[in-house]
Amino acid sequence: MRRLWPALFLALPVFAAAEDACTDLEQAAFLLGTWQSETQGTRFMERWRRDEGGGFRGSAEAIRDGERFQQEAMTLRVVAGTLVYAADPSLDGNFVEFRGVRCTPGEAVFENPEHDFPQRLHYRLDDSGILTARVSDLEDQGFKLVFRPDD
């Protein structure tokens, strides 16, 4: 029995990593719905819904003085066993992919170290129903948006 303890101890990091793995679309189901954020006179909207193909489809927009000045299309799907967030900020069909690196209840982190900016997208839903989206590089330099459900 003594020989088992070192093996079990060494296996703990593997089990912990597997718990946080992003392997199932339902791990990001907390994003579904319409979210809004107001910052310095700019209104940000993010909408997520299930699509016919079994994934999630999203859209984002920024509005200032009644004019939409930014739009983005997003998708979430499982590719080769990993949750993948893809964004098309130019609406030209060229999606940038971010692979899920950590998913826990109410939280999902996606990364693409090869992309210029952003390299990390971190979504977190707190117990009060506030969704925080942190958009950053790998050094956590960037910005965050605090969303509330848009009823």
Side-chain angles (χ1 to χ4, degrees):
M1 187 66 163
R2 284 183 191 219
R3 291 185 185 161
L4 272 177
W5 285 111
L8 288 173
F9 180 73
L10 291 173
L12 283 177
V14 173
F15 290 129
E19 282 182 19
D20 292 352
C22 298
T23 58
D24 187 336
L25 197 56
E26 292 309 308
Q27 291 173 291
F30 66 91
L31 292 173
L32 293 172
T34 302
W35 301 91
Q36 67 172 332
S37 177
E38 187 88 28
T39 304
Q40 298 178 351
T42 301
R43 183 176 183 203
F44 298 92
M45 299 287 295
E46 196 162 303
R47 296 172 185 88
W48 287 96
R49 63 176 175 77
R50 293 180 191 274
D51 67 21
E52 305 80 33
F56 295 171
R57 184 165 307 281
S59 64
E61 63 184 16
I63 300 167
R64 184 179 309 129
D65 298 326
E67 298 287 326
R68 182 174 43 219
F69 68 93
Q70 185 178 357
Q71 284 184 277
E72 184 170 324
M74 297 97 67
T75 64
L76 268 169
R77 64 191 189 287
V78 176
V79 177
T82 300
L83 193 57
V84 174
Y85 179 111
D88 178 5
S90 301
L91 300 179
D92 60 4
N94 292 315
F95 284 81
V96 177
E97 293 187 346
F98 298 83
R99 299 191 66 74
V101 296
R102 187 174 75 243
C103 290
T104 59
E107 180 179 40
V109 180
F110 304 92
E111 291 183 356
N112 179 343
E114 308 302 315
H115 192 247
D116 54 358
F117 186 87
Q119 294 174 313
R120 179 180 293 140
L121 305 170
H122 182 177
Y123 285 93
R124 184 173 181 280
L125 181 65
D126 70 20
D127 292 337
S128 68
I130 302 297
L131 179 69
T132 302
R134 179 103 176 108
V135 180
S136 68
D137 59 18
L138 296 179
E139 306 297 318
D140 265 343
Q141 299 299 310
F143 62 91
K144 76 175 179 178
L145 295 170
V146 178
F147 289 99
R148 298 186 187 305
D150 185 38
D151 300 323

